[in-house]
Amino acid sequence: MSDHNMREKESLSALMDGETDELEFHRTLKVTSESDELRDTWRRYQLAASAMRRDLPVQITDYSAAIRAALDDEPTHGARAAVSRMAKPLGRFAIAASVAALAVLGVQQYSQPSAVTAPVASVDDVQMNFVNPQLRTAADFGIPAVTARNVSASTESDGYRSPQPVIVVQEVVPDDVTREQVQAYLNKLMTRHTEHAAFNTNQGMLPFARMPASQDY
Amino acid sequence: MAEANRQLDYTGIFTYEHGGTLKTVKVFHAIQDDREVERLVLLSGPKQEILHRGNDVNCEHMGNAILRGNAASLATIPEQTLNNYYSVQIKSDDRVAGRDVAVLHVVPKDEHRYGYVLGIDKETGLLLQSLLVGNKNRVLERFQYVDINIDNTVNAEDLLASSDSMHVVSPGKSNCLNRGGMPDRQSGAWRAGWLPPGYTMAGLELTQDNTRETLIYTDGLSVFSLFIDSEMPANLPQMQAQRGATVAYLSRVTVDGRHYTICVVGEIPVETAKLVAQSVSPRQSTP
C-alpha cells in the first residue's frame, strides 16, 4: 500500500471519528469518491462502526425513525381508498407492513387520528387526564411496559405521537375506584365475552386466543 | 369453514399477536361422544390452560345459523344476510403452517364492523390464519398456525388438564337455538335501543344472583357482549379500553335512583360499541 493511501485512510478514520475540520472533510470526501479502494475502506469502517453501535441506545432511535417514516406514509394510503385497498394486490403488502410496525410500536396504534370518523376523544386531552394518580398506569393492560419505553425513546418530532395507554379513559371521575378494580372488572368481562364468541363465531381457536392471560386478573 | 373447525381432530401450535405482544399456544382438538373437546395450553408467559367442552351437536348457536343462512330471523329480517354487510373476495393462494391455503378478504360494507383476511386450508377448510383489519387498514391482531397435524388421533390424556391454572369453558345451554331458530331466552330486563345493522341477538345470560345481565349479539363473523351490572360501584369511571381487536366501552345509567354499569365488549369499532352502550335502556320503566 502506498504512503499516500495510508495517509488517506488515516484521514478517513479521523473523519469517522468526527475529528476533521471542514476543509479536510471536503478534501477527504473528494479523494474517497475517486478511489475504489478508499470507498471500500469507508464501507468497512461504517460496518465496523455499525456493529459497535449495536448495543447502544442510539440504535433504538434509528430503528424507530425508520418505523416512523413508514407510519408517516400510512395516512397517504389510508386516506386514498380506506378499506377497499384490501382488495388490491398492494393491499397485502401494506397489511404486512402494518403488522411489522404494530409489533414494534404496539400501544401507539390507537393514537393515530381517524380518517373516517371524528376522534372519539381527543387523544392529547385524554393523556392530560392521566395526571389522576389512580388510573395513570393503564399501559399494563396486556402490553408489556418495555414496548412503551422503546417507543417513547424516539423523538416527538415529525408528527410522531406519544405512546397511547391501552386503557383510554374518557372521563376520569376522581373517587375510590382503583385501577386494579377497573382492570379486574374489564378482564372478567373480556373473558366472559371470549366465551360467548367461541360459541358464535366459528373461528375455531381464535376467540380463545383473545382470552386475557391469567396474570391479568 | 365452520364445520371444519368443529368436526376435525387436530393438534397444532398457533401464534396470536396484538399490540406488540405475541402468544404461542398449543392446541388439541377432538370430537368425543359427539362433543367438541378442546384443550389449549399457553406456551409463553404465565402458565395457563383452557379446557373447552361443549358444542353438543344438538346445540346450535346463532353464529352458525347465520353463516349457513338458516336462522329463523333471516326470514323475519330479510336484509340480514352476511353478504349485505361484507364483501368476500377470494384472493391469491398462500401457505400457512406448511399447508396450502386460500386467502379470503372479507371487507366490511359499513363502518360498524372490522374486516378480515382469512387463510383457509384448501384440503380441510380449517381456519389457519386470520388478520383482523381495523380502521385505515391497520391490522389489530394476527392469529396464525405455525404447525398443525390434521386428522391426527388425539390421545385422551392430551385432553385432560395438566395444571391448576386452568380455565374451564362450558357452553351456556340457554343460548342454543330452539326449534324456532331463536335463542331460548330472549327477553331480559334490558334492551339495546340501537344495534349495528345485521347484528342479531345470540343469547341472554343472567348471573345466579341476578346482578348482571348479559346480551350477546353477532352478525355471523363478529360478536359483541353487552353487560348490564348492578353490582359495580356507581362511581366507576366512564371509559373505553382496547386490547388487540377487542374493545370495551363502559358507561353508567341511573334508573329510579339505582346505578347500573353498562359495558359493551367485542371485536367491533369503539364508535359502534359506544352507540350501543348509549342506547341501552330498561324494558319497563322500572326494571
Side-chain angles (χ1 to χ4, degrees), chain B residues 211-249:
Chain B
T211 54
R212 188 170 73 225
E213 181 170 324
T214 309
L215 302 154
I216 302 146
Y217 296 93
T218 180
D219 67 351
L221 272 180
S222 76
V223 176
F224 68 85
S225 306
L226 168 60
F227 300 93
I228 298 110
D229 207 326
S230 57
E231 251 206 341
M232 261 323 261
N235 47 18
L236 205 66
Q238 183 161 330
M239 69 165 90
Q240 61 192 56
Q242 187 138 13
R243 185 214 312 269
T246 309
V247 305
Y249 184 89

Short mmCIF file of all heavy atoms in Angstrom, two decimals, chain B residues 211-249:
data_model
loop_
_atom_site.label_atom_id
_atom_site.label_comp_id
_atom_site.label_asym_id
_atom_site.label_seq_id
_atom_site.Cartn_x
_atom_site.Cartn_y
_atom_site.Cartn_z
N THR B 211 -77.52 -10.10 39.42
CA THR B 211 -76.91 -8.78 39.45
C THR B 211 -76.38 -8.36 38.09
O THR B 211 -76.16 -7.19 37.84
CB THR B 211 -75.73 -8.72 40.45
OG1 THR B 211 -74.82 -9.77 40.12
CG2 THR B 211 -76.22 -8.87 41.87
N ARG B 212 -76.14 -9.35 37.22
CA ARG B 212 -75.63 -8.97 35.91
C ARG B 212 -76.39 -9.66 34.79
O ARG B 212 -76.58 -10.87 34.80
CB ARG B 212 -74.15 -9.31 35.78
CG ARG B 212 -73.57 -8.72 34.49
CD ARG B 212 -72.06 -8.82 34.42
NE ARG B 212 -71.63 -10.18 34.19
CZ ARG B 212 -70.64 -10.77 34.86
NH1 ARG B 212 -70.01 -10.14 35.81
NH2 ARG B 212 -70.31 -11.99 34.59
N GLU B 213 -76.83 -8.87 33.85
CA GLU B 213 -77.49 -9.41 32.67
C GLU B 213 -76.55 -9.24 31.48
O GLU B 213 -75.92 -8.21 31.32
CB GLU B 213 -78.80 -8.65 32.43
CG GLU B 213 -79.57 -9.16 31.22
CD GLU B 213 -80.97 -8.55 31.14
OE1 GLU B 213 -81.60 -8.33 32.19
OE2 GLU B 213 -81.42 -8.28 30.01
N THR B 214 -76.45 -10.28 30.66
CA THR B 214 -75.57 -10.23 29.50
C THR B 214 -76.36 -10.52 28.25
O THR B 214 -77.07 -11.52 28.18
CB THR B 214 -74.44 -11.27 29.62
OG1 THR B 214 -73.82 -11.12 30.89
CG2 THR B 214 -73.42 -11.09 28.52
N LEU B 215 -76.26 -9.65 27.29
CA LEU B 215 -76.89 -9.86 25.99
C LEU B 215 -75.79 -10.06 24.97
O LEU B 215 -74.80 -9.31 24.97
CB LEU B 215 -77.74 -8.65 25.62
CG LEU B 215 -78.85 -8.29 26.63
CD1 LEU B 215 -79.19 -6.82 26.55
CD2 LEU B 215 -80.07 -9.13 26.37
N ILE B 216 -75.93 -11.07 24.12
CA ILE B 216 -74.87 -11.40 23.15
C ILE B 216 -75.43 -11.21 21.74
O ILE B 216 -76.52 -11.69 21.43
CB ILE B 216 -74.40 -12.85 23.35
CG1 ILE B 216 -73.90 -13.04 24.79
CG2 ILE B 216 -73.30 -13.21 22.36
CD1 ILE B 216 -74.18 -14.41 25.35
N TYR B 217 -74.67 -10.50 20.93
CA TYR B 217 -75.10 -10.22 19.57
C TYR B 217 -74.03 -10.64 18.57
O TYR B 217 -72.84 -10.55 18.87
CB TYR B 217 -75.38 -8.72 19.39
CG TYR B 217 -76.51 -8.20 20.25
CD1 TYR B 217 -76.25 -7.67 21.50
CD2 TYR B 217 -77.82 -8.26 19.80
CE1 TYR B 217 -77.28 -7.19 22.30
CE2 TYR B 217 -78.86 -7.80 20.58
CZ TYR B 217 -78.59 -7.26 21.83
OH TYR B 217 -79.61 -6.79 22.61
N THR B 218 -74.46 -11.08 17.39
CA THR B 218 -73.49 -11.44 16.36
C THR B 218 -74.03 -11.13 14.97
O THR B 218 -75.25 -11.14 14.76
CB THR B 218 -73.11 -12.94 16.46
OG1 THR B 218 -72.16 -13.24 15.43
CG2 THR B 218 -74.32 -13.84 16.26
N ASP B 219 -73.12 -10.84 14.06
CA ASP B 219 -73.51 -10.72 12.65
C ASP B 219 -73.02 -11.94 11.89
O ASP B 219 -73.00 -11.95 10.66
CB ASP B 219 -72.97 -9.42 12.03
CG ASP B 219 -71.45 -9.41 11.92
OD1 ASP B 219 -70.81 -10.32 12.46
OD2 ASP B 219 -70.91 -8.49 11.28
N GLY B 220 -72.61 -12.95 12.60
CA GLY B 220 -72.14 -14.18 11.98
C GLY B 220 -70.62 -14.25 11.96
O GLY B 220 -70.04 -15.33 12.00
N LEU B 221 -69.96 -13.12 11.93
CA LEU B 221 -68.49 -13.12 11.96
C LEU B 221 -67.97 -12.54 13.26
O LEU B 221 -67.10 -13.11 13.90
CB LEU B 221 -67.94 -12.30 10.79
CG LEU B 221 -67.71 -13.03 9.48
CD1 LEU B 221 -67.16 -12.07 8.44
CD2 LEU B 221 -66.75 -14.20 9.66
N SER B 222 -68.49 -11.40 13.65
CA SER B 222 -68.02 -10.81 14.88
C SER B 222 -69.11 -10.88 15.95
O SER B 222 -70.29 -11.03 15.64
CB SER B 222 -67.58 -9.36 14.66
OG SER B 222 -68.70 -8.53 14.54
N VAL B 223 -68.67 -10.80 17.18
CA VAL B 223 -69.58 -10.94 18.31
C VAL B 223 -69.31 -9.79 19.27
O VAL B 223 -68.16 -9.41 19.47
CB VAL B 223 -69.33 -12.28 19.05
CG1 VAL B 223 -70.21 -12.39 20.30
CG2 VAL B 223 -69.58 -13.46 18.14
N PHE B 224 -70.38 -9.22 19.83
CA PHE B 224 -70.13 -8.36 20.98
C PHE B 224 -71.08 -8.71 22.11
O PHE B 224 -72.16 -9.26 21.89
CB PHE B 224 -70.18 -6.87 20.62
CG PHE B 224 -71.53 -6.33 20.23
CD1 PHE B 224 -72.43 -5.89 21.19
CD2 PHE B 224 -71.89 -6.24 18.90
CE1 PHE B 224 -73.66 -5.37 20.83
CE2 PHE B 224 -73.12 -5.72 18.52
CZ PHE B 224 -74.01 -5.30 19.49
N SER B 225 -70.65 -8.47 23.31
CA SER B 225 -71.42 -8.76 24.51
C SER B 225 -71.78 -7.45 25.18
O SER B 225 -70.96 -6.54 25.25
CB SER B 225 -70.62 -9.61 25.48
OG SER B 225 -70.13 -10.78 24.84
N LEU B 226 -73.01 -7.39 25.65
CA LEU B 226 -73.49 -6.21 26.35
C LEU B 226 -73.77 -6.62 27.79
O LEU B 226 -74.60 -7.48 28.04
CB LEU B 226 -74.76 -5.69 25.64
CG LEU B 226 -75.62 -4.64 26.31
CD1 LEU B 226 -74.83 -3.38 26.58
CD2 LEU B 226 -76.82 -4.33 25.42
N PHE B 227 -73.04 -6.03 28.72
CA PHE B 227 -73.19 -6.37 30.13
C PHE B 227 -73.90 -5.23 30.85
O PHE B 227 -73.52 -4.07 30.71
CB PHE B 227 -71.82 -6.58 30.78
CG PHE B 227 -70.99 -7.68 30.16
CD1 PHE B 227 -70.08 -7.39 29.15
CD2 PHE B 227 -71.11 -8.99 30.60
CE1 PHE B 227 -69.31 -8.40 28.58
CE2 PHE B 227 -70.33 -10.00 30.03
CZ PHE B 227 -69.43 -9.71 29.03
N ILE B 228 -74.92 -5.57 31.63
CA ILE B 228 -75.56 -4.59 32.48
C ILE B 228 -75.41 -5.08 33.91
O ILE B 228 -75.93 -6.13 34.28
CB ILE B 228 -77.04 -4.37 32.13
CG1 ILE B 228 -77.15 -3.85 30.70
CG2 ILE B 228 -77.68 -3.37 33.08
CD1 ILE B 228 -77.72 -4.83 29.74
N ASP B 229 -74.69 -4.33 34.69
CA ASP B 229 -74.26 -4.79 36.00
C ASP B 229 -74.77 -3.84 37.07
O ASP B 229 -74.57 -2.63 36.98
CB ASP B 229 -72.72 -4.81 36.02
CG ASP B 229 -72.19 -5.83 37.00
OD1 ASP B 229 -72.84 -6.03 38.04
OD2 ASP B 229 -71.13 -6.41 36.72
N SER B 230 -75.41 -4.39 38.09
CA SER B 230 -75.87 -3.52 39.17
C SER B 230 -74.95 -3.60 40.37
O SER B 230 -75.15 -2.93 41.36
CB SER B 230 -77.29 -3.91 39.58
OG SER B 230 -77.31 -5.26 39.96
N GLU B 231 -73.90 -4.42 40.25
CA GLU B 231 -73.05 -4.64 41.42
C GLU B 231 -71.85 -3.72 41.51
O GLU B 231 -71.39 -3.41 42.59
CB GLU B 231 -72.56 -6.09 41.44
CG GLU B 231 -73.24 -6.89 42.54
CD GLU B 231 -72.41 -8.05 43.00
OE1 GLU B 231 -71.50 -8.47 42.26
OE2 GLU B 231 -72.69 -8.54 44.09
N MET B 232 -71.32 -3.34 40.38
CA MET B 232 -70.13 -2.50 40.42
C MET B 232 -70.46 -1.17 41.09
O MET B 232 -71.57 -0.68 40.95
CB MET B 232 -69.63 -2.23 38.99
CG MET B 232 -68.48 -3.09 38.52
SD MET B 232 -67.24 -3.50 39.73
CE MET B 232 -65.97 -2.31 39.36
N PRO B 233 -69.51 -0.60 41.78
CA PRO B 233 -69.77 0.71 42.39
C PRO B 233 -70.16 1.72 41.33
O PRO B 233 -69.65 1.71 40.22
CB PRO B 233 -68.44 1.08 43.04
CG PRO B 233 -67.44 0.10 42.53
CD PRO B 233 -68.19 -1.11 42.11
N ALA B 234 -71.08 2.56 41.70
CA ALA B 234 -71.62 3.51 40.73
C ALA B 234 -70.59 4.52 40.29
O ALA B 234 -70.74 5.18 39.28
CB ALA B 234 -72.82 4.23 41.34
N ASN B 235 -69.53 4.64 41.04
CA ASN B 235 -68.54 5.67 40.70
C ASN B 235 -67.45 5.15 39.77
O ASN B 235 -66.40 5.75 39.64
CB ASN B 235 -67.92 6.24 41.97
CG ASN B 235 -67.51 5.14 42.92
OD1 ASN B 235 -67.38 3.98 42.52
ND2 ASN B 235 -67.31 5.49 44.17
N LEU B 236 -67.70 4.03 39.15
CA LEU B 236 -66.76 3.53 38.13
C LEU B 236 -66.65 4.57 37.02
O LEU B 236 -67.64 5.10 36.57
CB LEU B 236 -67.33 2.23 37.55
CG LEU B 236 -66.34 1.25 36.95
CD1 LEU B 236 -65.43 0.69 38.03
CD2 LEU B 236 -67.09 0.12 36.29
N PRO B 237 -65.43 4.85 36.59
CA PRO B 237 -65.31 5.89 35.57
C PRO B 237 -65.88 5.44 34.23
O PRO B 237 -65.87 4.26 33.89
CB PRO B 237 -63.80 6.10 35.45
CG PRO B 237 -63.20 4.84 35.94
CD PRO B 237 -64.14 4.29 36.97
N GLN B 238 -66.38 6.39 33.49
CA GLN B 238 -66.78 6.10 32.12
C GLN B 238 -65.50 6.00 31.30
O GLN B 238 -64.63 6.86 31.40
CB GLN B 238 -67.63 7.26 31.61
CG GLN B 238 -68.14 7.05 30.22
CD GLN B 238 -69.31 7.96 29.93
OE1 GLN B 238 -70.05 8.32 30.83
NE2 GLN B 238 -69.46 8.34 28.69
N MET B 239 -65.34 4.94 30.53
CA MET B 239 -64.06 4.77 29.84
C MET B 239 -64.19 3.83 28.66
O MET B 239 -65.19 3.15 28.49
CB MET B 239 -63.04 4.19 30.81
CG MET B 239 -63.36 2.75 31.18
SD MET B 239 -61.97 1.96 31.94
CE MET B 239 -62.28 2.37 33.62
N GLN B 240 -63.13 3.83 27.89
CA GLN B 240 -63.04 2.82 26.85
C GLN B 240 -61.66 2.19 26.91
O GLN B 240 -60.68 2.85 27.21
CB GLN B 240 -63.31 3.42 25.48
CG GLN B 240 -62.32 4.49 25.09
CD GLN B 240 -62.81 5.24 23.87
OE1 GLN B 240 -63.90 5.79 23.85
NE2 GLN B 240 -61.99 5.26 22.84
N ALA B 241 -61.62 0.89 26.68
CA ALA B 241 -60.35 0.18 26.74
C ALA B 241 -60.23 -0.64 25.48
O ALA B 241 -61.23 -0.98 24.85
CB ALA B 241 -60.29 -0.71 27.96
N GLN B 242 -59.03 -0.96 25.12
CA GLN B 242 -58.82 -1.74 23.91
C GLN B 242 -57.66 -2.68 24.10
O GLN B 242 -56.62 -2.31 24.63
CB GLN B 242 -58.54 -0.78 22.75
CG GLN B 242 -58.48 -1.47 21.41
CD GLN B 242 -59.20 -0.69 20.32
OE1 GLN B 242 -59.54 0.48 20.51
NE2 GLN B 242 -59.45 -1.31 19.20
N ARG B 243 -57.84 -3.91 23.70
CA ARG B 243 -56.75 -4.88 23.72
C ARG B 243 -56.81 -5.61 22.39
O ARG B 243 -57.76 -6.34 22.13
CB ARG B 243 -56.92 -5.86 24.88
CG ARG B 243 -55.75 -6.83 25.01
CD ARG B 243 -56.18 -8.19 25.48
NE ARG B 243 -57.07 -8.12 26.63
CZ ARG B 243 -56.63 -8.15 27.88
NH1 ARG B 243 -55.37 -8.26 28.14
NH2 ARG B 243 -57.48 -8.10 28.88
N GLY B 244 -55.82 -5.40 21.55
CA GLY B 244 -55.86 -6.02 20.24
C GLY B 244 -57.11 -5.57 19.52
O GLY B 244 -57.35 -4.38 19.35
N ALA B 245 -57.93 -6.53 19.13
CA ALA B 245 -59.13 -6.19 18.39
C ALA B 245 -60.32 -5.99 19.31
O ALA B 245 -61.38 -5.57 18.87
CB ALA B 245 -59.45 -7.31 17.40
N THR B 246 -60.16 -6.32 20.57
CA THR B 246 -61.29 -6.28 21.49
C THR B 246 -61.38 -4.92 22.17
O THR B 246 -60.43 -4.44 22.75
CB THR B 246 -61.14 -7.37 22.57
OG1 THR B 246 -60.88 -8.61 21.93
CG2 THR B 246 -62.40 -7.49 23.40
N VAL B 247 -62.55 -4.30 22.06
CA VAL B 247 -62.74 -3.04 22.76
C VAL B 247 -63.74 -3.24 23.89
O VAL B 247 -64.56 -4.16 23.87
CB VAL B 247 -63.28 -1.91 21.84
CG1 VAL B 247 -62.40 -1.71 20.65
CG2 VAL B 247 -64.71 -2.16 21.42
N ALA B 248 -63.62 -2.39 24.88
CA ALA B 248 -64.62 -2.36 25.95
C ALA B 248 -65.02 -0.90 26.10
O ALA B 248 -64.16 -0.03 26.20
CB ALA B 248 -64.03 -2.90 27.24
N TYR B 249 -66.32 -0.67 26.08
CA TYR B 249 -66.80 0.69 26.32
C TYR B 249 -67.70 0.64 27.53
O TYR B 249 -68.66 -0.13 27.59
CB TYR B 249 -67.57 1.22 25.10
CG TYR B 249 -68.00 2.66 25.29
CD1 TYR B 249 -67.16 3.69 24.92
CD2 TYR B 249 -69.21 2.97 25.90
CE1 TYR B 249 -67.51 5.01 25.13
CE2 TYR B 249 -69.58 4.29 26.12
CZ TYR B 249 -68.72 5.30 25.72
OH TYR B 249 -69.07 6.61 25.95
#
